[in-house]
Amino acid sequence: ELDHVDEAIQRMRAGETVLDLNGHFLSSQDADRLAAELARNSTLRILNLNKNNISSVKQLAWSLQRNTTLQRLHLDNNTIHEGAAQLARALQSNEALRLLSLHGNYGIAAEDVRELRRAERRRETLKCFLPWPGEEE
């Protein structure tokens, strides 16, 4: 029997443009498996990973440095506390992403939120929704 991640990877390989994995109890390890596929994928435009149990997005950040087609990444209401700084760095080289949503991830360090805000300001085409508004510099 295929789990949600195996099925999602098969759908990505089949050319799916939207994957909605909202509320599937995915772990960081599941997100890492998706990230490995995302790094070489050229069709996916929207990935919804809202309301899961993802605590680290380091591998997703790594995949964003390689992926050139993902436009929207939804990570709201997870337990993210690792990898936000790497996401900010990935946004420096990734020109495709238009929306990054991280609402409800209150474990993200304030400095990482500031880095993400700076990354957003450097790219006119990017909108970030972060756990809190952050401090203006």
Side-chain angles (χ1 to χ4, degrees), residues 1-90:
E1 179 183 323
L2 294 178
D3 67 16
H4 293 298
V5 177
D6 291 332
E7 182 183 326
I9 288 171
Q10 283 188 353
R11 289 174 58 199
M12 288 168 77
R13 289 177 179 166
E16 195 79 28
T17 59
V18 177
L19 275 183
D20 184 357
L21 295 168
N22 180 60
H24 281 82
F25 303 101
L26 302 181
S27 66
S28 294
Q29 291 79 14
D30 294 328
D32 291 351
R33 289 172 55 209
L34 289 169
E37 187 63 32
L38 184 63
R40 57 182 167 263
N41 181 276
S42 62
T43 58
L44 195 66
R45 303 287 185 262
I46 300 170
L47 179 57
N48 181 352
L49 296 173
N50 289 347
K51 297 182 183 173
N52 283 289
N53 297 315
I54 299 168
S55 60
S56 175
V57 290
K58 288 180 180 179
Q59 291 300 315
L60 279 169
W62 171 86
S63 71
L64 287 178
Q65 292 177 324
R66 288 148 185 82
N67 181 282
T68 59
T69 55
L70 191 70
Q71 296 173 359
R72 297 172 58 158
L73 178 57
H74 298 269
L75 290 161
D76 297 337
N77 300 310
N78 278 282
T79 57
I80 296 168
H81 62 271
E82 288 183 345
Q86 288 91 333
L87 275 179
R89 284 194 293 279

Side-chain angles (χ1 to χ4, degrees), residues 78-123:
N78 278 282
T79 57
I80 296 168
H81 62 271
E82 288 183 345
Q86 288 91 333
L87 275 179
R89 284 194 293 279
L91 294 175
Q92 294 174 14
S93 60
N94 179 302
E95 293 292 324
L97 202 67
R98 301 285 181 254
L99 181 134
L100 173 63
S101 191
L102 291 160
H103 279 301
N105 288 286
Y106 298 107
I108 297 176
E111 179 55 34
D112 294 343
V113 170
R114 285 191 288 275
E115 282 300 315
L116 286 160
R117 280 268 172 252
R118 285 192 278 274
E120 178 186 32
R121 283 197 294 270
R122 285 191 293 268
R123 292 235 342 256

